[in-house]
Amino acid sequence: MAGFFDRMLGRNSSNKGSSTTAKDRLKFVLLHERVKIAPEKMREMKAEIVAVIAKYVPGIDPDTVDIAIEQSDRYENKLVAEIPFSKTRAEAAAESDSHDDLSVSDDALVEADSASEMDADLKFHTDETIPNPTIQNSVDVLDEAETDEVDD
Amino acid sequence: MGAKVITITSGKGGVGKTTTTANLGVALARLGKKTVVIDADIGLRNLDVVMGLENRIVYDLVDVVEGRCRLRQAMIKHKQFPDLYLIPAAQTRDKTSVSPADMIHITDKLRSDFDFIIIDSPAGIERGFRNAVAPADEVLIVTNPEVSAVRDADRIVGLLEAEHKNPGKLILNRLKPAMVKKGEMLSADDVVDILALEIIGIVPEDDHVIPASNSGIPVTLNENSHAGVAFRNIARRLTGEDVALMDLETNSGFFQRLAKFFGGR
Ligand SMILES: Nc1ncnc2c1ncn2[C@@H]1O[C@H](COP(=O)(O)OP(=O)(O)OP(=O)(O)O)[C@@H](O)[C@H]1O
Ligand SMILES: [Mg+2]
């Protein structure tokens, strides 16, 4: 969405000049500087988290896992994890049948089946520093995964 | 309780702190506000030349701190604006000749006689920065629409937090609207979004700025200068006036912008 100044200056919001790159790079570097967690440390943490979750959840591909810091403003930080895992077609179909709240059309069901993939979002808040991540939200997490699946 | 102390700082050097201090000083004095500008860049004195007062210096800030003169003796009165004074930096000393407590002491002595005390901070985040920021009621962070300047501005925000200061307000200097339009320069929206700070002024890149400092007549006295208008607007905002942000603060003319605004993309 174009901001006020952009609109006043007639800047096209779809314009992808070097300023977009500058903004993305700045956001990334400042995010890590503000929370004092280097990108390299994030990578280490991600590897450990993936290893733990993989003990309980089959079908995780580390390459598709995304764990990142999100900041709504300077003081509100969030660790957002997107951890897709695959199921066998039979498992997914069996589960879809047992869900009455998910009234999906047959077409959609086929698509979902062939994708045979499910995302789980693990969200926990941090305040300046990151506390030991606890996965006590896992029930909410799965609910969320069912409802906001459509975005991706 | 008298004057408001405003410190102009940036982290990165050369982004326009001294230019901003000189112009806000003159613009505030023109609005009838009793104003002192203090050059806290000990060892790299510059505010005097930008304001055209370099030939009138007898005593400086360090002379005051070390008791070689009274505070009043180090205050140079501007000829054109009798409500405007400069306290120059020492040229032959370093940042450690002054302490944060000294700065608080000096500004406290000035508060009852003035409306505004504007402090020009040196670049960096060391002693000179801490001196300049110690007495501040408000901090204005000058930055340019450029990655290194914005990143350093963010460091300042963090340091102000650590010093339990109010979050600073942003002055975006040297913006080139034509480049922003092409997508080759960060826009004011981008910078505000990245730093999450209130913005108090946008100053365009302006060819009048260098001739102004060449002659020691701050650009805000030039009625044809867009940067000059932008500085005047910031001064008015500092006095509490509600001045809309975009008016005259870009290079493009008002009607041109109107046309763009109404004529679609
Ligand atoms: N809006 C502007 N348009 C064009 N030139 C500008 C503008 N603002 C500042 N400049 C120029 O940029 C240069 C640096 O400005 P200035 O000395 O005010 O920066 P500074 O932040 O005080 O630097 P330092 O960190 O060294 O103290 C000067 O040559 C000045 O004339
Ligand atoms: Mg300077």
Side-chain angles (χ1 to χ4, degrees):
Chain A
M1 195 187 80
F4 175 74
F5 299 112
D6 292 342
R7 272 182 279 123
M8 289 301 273
L9 290 164
R11 187 165 88 150
N12 186 348
S13 59
S14 67
N15 201 334
K16 285 252 188 310
S18 63
S19 70
T20 312
T21 315
K23 189 173 179 182
D24 292 345
R25 291 178 63 218
L26 268 167
K27 285 207 142 179
F28 183 81
V29 72
L30 292 184
L31 197 80
H32 285 94
E33 285 181 359
R34 285 171 188 169
V35 298
K36 301 190 175 71
I37 304 171
E40 189 49 43
K41 281 282 163 207
M42 282 289 293
R43 275 190 286 274
E44 271 174 39
M45 182 182 76
K46 178 179 145 183
E48 283 180 39
I49 289 176
V50 169
V52 169
I53 294 178
K55 279 204 269 182
Y56 301 91
V57 182
I60 289 183
D61 172 4
D63 290 343
T64 61
V65 172
D66 181 33
I67 300 176
I69 304 161
E70 261 180 28
Q71 209 164 40
S72 44
D73 66 51
R74 187 175 291 277
Y75 309 100
E76 275 292 322
N77 306 306
K78 212 194 259 178
L79 269 179
V80 178
E82 197 169 303
I83 306 171
F85 57 98
S86 317
K87 297 184 168 192
T88 65
R89 187 175 295 248
E91 270 171 0
E95 258 187 40
S96 301
D97 286 346
S98 66
H99 276 294
D100 344 356
D101 53 336
L102 266 183
S103 47
V104 200
S105 79
D106 281 354
D107 286 7
L109 205 65
V110 172
E111 265 186 42
D113 268 1
S114 60
S116 161
E117 206 172 68
M118 226 178 125
D119 284 351
D121 279 0
L122 297 174
K123 295 185 181 175
F124 34 95
H125 288 264
T126 67
D127 196 50
E128 288 288 324
T129 51
I130 313 267
N132 291 330
T134 50
I135 313 179
Q136 63 196 30
N137 294 349
S138 52
V139 177
D140 296 353
V141 161
L142 288 173
D143 285 343
E144 263 185 67
E146 285 169 1
T147 48
D148 54 46
E149 219 4 67
V150 205
D151 310 65
D152 289 70
Chain B
M1 66 149 275
K4 186 165 200 181
V5 180
I6 298 174
T7 297
I8 314 293
T9 191
S10 68
K12 184 170 156 64
V15 297
K17 296 176 292 297
T18 302
T19 307
T20 299
T21 306
N23 280 288
L24 291 184
V26 168
L28 285 166
R30 269 177 117 194
L31 292 170
K33 302 294 175 189
K34 294 200 72 181
T35 304
V36 200
V37 293
I38 302 178
D39 190 346
D41 200 348
I42 317 286
L44 290 169
R45 173 199 278 178
N46 263 330
L47 190 54
D48 56 335
V49 282
V50 175
M51 296 181 76
L53 298 172
E54 69 277 14
N55 292 330
R56 315 239 320 270
I57 296 176
V58 182
Y59 295 110
D60 58 46
L61 189 62
V62 175
D63 291 323
V64 177
V65 168
E66 295 180 351
R68 275 185 297 279
C69 71
R70 284 175 295 112
L71 180 54
R72 287 279 155 182
Q73 291 176 290
M75 294 169 64
I76 302 165
K77 189 187 199 136
H78 199 286
K79 285 220 174 76
Q80 193 181 349
F81 304 104
D83 281 341
L84 178 60
Y85 291 82
L86 163 73
I87 301 178
Q91 185 66 315
T92 55
R93 302 290 296 273
D94 67 34
K95 268 62 179 175
T96 57
S97 348
V98 175
S99 71
D102 292 330
M103 293 300 288
I104 292 170
H105 183 67
I106 287 171
T107 49
D108 279 350
K109 283 211 272 187
L110 293 166
R111 278 180 192 266
S112 56
D113 294 331
F114 288 89
D115 297 311
F116 287 95
I117 300 168
I118 316 266
I119 302 174
D120 183 13
S121 165
I125 54 175
E126 312 301 330
R127 175 67 168 268
F129 162 78
R130 283 189 288 119
N131 286 344
V133 161
D137 301 315
E138 191 168 319
V139 176
L140 303 186
I141 304 172
V142 182
T143 193
N144 298 152
E146 204 237 312
V147 280
S148 53
V150 173
R151 183 199 206 171
D152 289 358
D154 197 72
R155 280 283 279 148
I156 295 294
V157 175
L159 291 171
L160 291 177
E161 246 164 57
E163 305 244 337
H164 303 292
K165 291 282 174 186
N166 291 328
K169 291 181 184 163
L170 195 66
I171 295 180
L172 183 58
N173 187 28
R174 310 196 74 160
L175 188 84
K176 295 183 178 182
M179 282 189 72
V180 173
K181 199 177 159 188
K182 278 191 269 176
E184 301 296 353
M185 181 179 268
L186 290 167
S187 69
D189 277 327
D190 291 335
V191 177
V192 167
D193 185 28
I194 293 162
L195 292 175
L197 283 183
E198 185 184 328
I199 189 162
I200 193 173
I202 303 164
V203 184
E205 173 79 20
D206 187 339
D207 284 350
H208 295 101
V209 172
I210 288 180
S213 65
N214 286 344
S215 44
I217 302 168
V219 76
T220 194
L221 296 172
N222 178 341
E223 303 299 331
N224 298 318
S225 159
H226 292 293
V229 175
F231 284 125
R232 240 174 292 157
N233 284 348
I234 297 171
R236 286 165 65 197
R237 289 180 196 117
L238 289 175
T239 67
E241 201 183 322
D242 192 8
V243 186
L245 252 177
M246 276 307 288
D247 282 328
L248 294 161
E249 271 164 303
T250 73
N251 283 329
S252 53
F254 180 63
F255 290 106
Q256 215 179 316
R257 283 205 312 281
L258 265 192
K260 266 181 212 144
F261 196 57
F262 289 116
R265 36 215 77 221

